[in-house]
Amino acid sequence: MTETIARIAGPYLLLTGLGFLLSAGFYARMIAGQARTDPVTLNLSGAAHFIVGMTVLVNHFAWSTALEAAVTLVGAAAALKGAGLIVLPEMAARSPALGKNGLRFSSLAFVAIGSYCVMGYRLIG
């Protein structure tokens, strides 16, 4: 199960991190415009994050290896983000813009975790 989830989450995280790096202006505008997001869109985003995160956690709650821990943490992060968007949507919509440094840090974190997931399943498979 760890390998399957890593094969799905790894490329997504890697591409998202690269998107943050290569299209920083777009993502900065997207984050800044979150306060004007349609409430239904915000709720649907929360539902999608929560369902994906909980699906990972229900099927994979393992901590024995670094890759297992990474996959479990990715699931937990998605579930928590989804729960936050559902339970506290106004707070999520008001979240401050990350700025260049925050977006850069996020992009590097996504690339690192995504790369680890992509390489990790290859190393253990």
Side-chain angles (χ1 to χ4, degrees):
M1 184 59 65
T2 300
E3 291 178 41
T4 300
I5 296 170
R7 286 180 182 186
I8 296 166
Y12 165 76
L13 294 169
L14 184 58
L15 288 172
T16 300
L18 290 174
F20 286 174
L21 282 172
L22 300 175
S23 302
F26 171 82
Y27 284 101
R29 287 190 309 277
M30 184 183 83
I31 293 166
Q34 192 169 328
R36 296 180 302 279
T37 299
D38 183 308
V40 173
T41 303
L42 198 60
N43 187 266
L44 288 174
S45 177
H49 279 86
F50 187 75
I51 290 168
V52 168
M54 287 304 297
T55 300
V56 170
L57 292 176
V58 165
N59 290 290
H60 186 283
F61 198 79
W63 302 92
S64 298
T65 67
L67 185 60
E68 287 178 345
V71 167
T72 301
L73 288 171
V74 166
L80 288 172
K81 180 174 182 174
L85 288 170
I86 293 167
V87 175
L88 302 168
E90 291 172 342
M91 184 178 184
R94 285 191 319 247
S95 64
L98 289 175
K100 286 184 181 181
N101 288 334
L103 195 55
R104 191 173 299 126
F105 174 78
S106 293
S107 66
L108 294 175
F110 273 63
V111 167
I113 295 167
S115 296
Y116 181 73
C117 285
V118 167
M119 295 306 295
Y121 80 79
R122 288 196 176 135
L123 294 175
I124 63 174

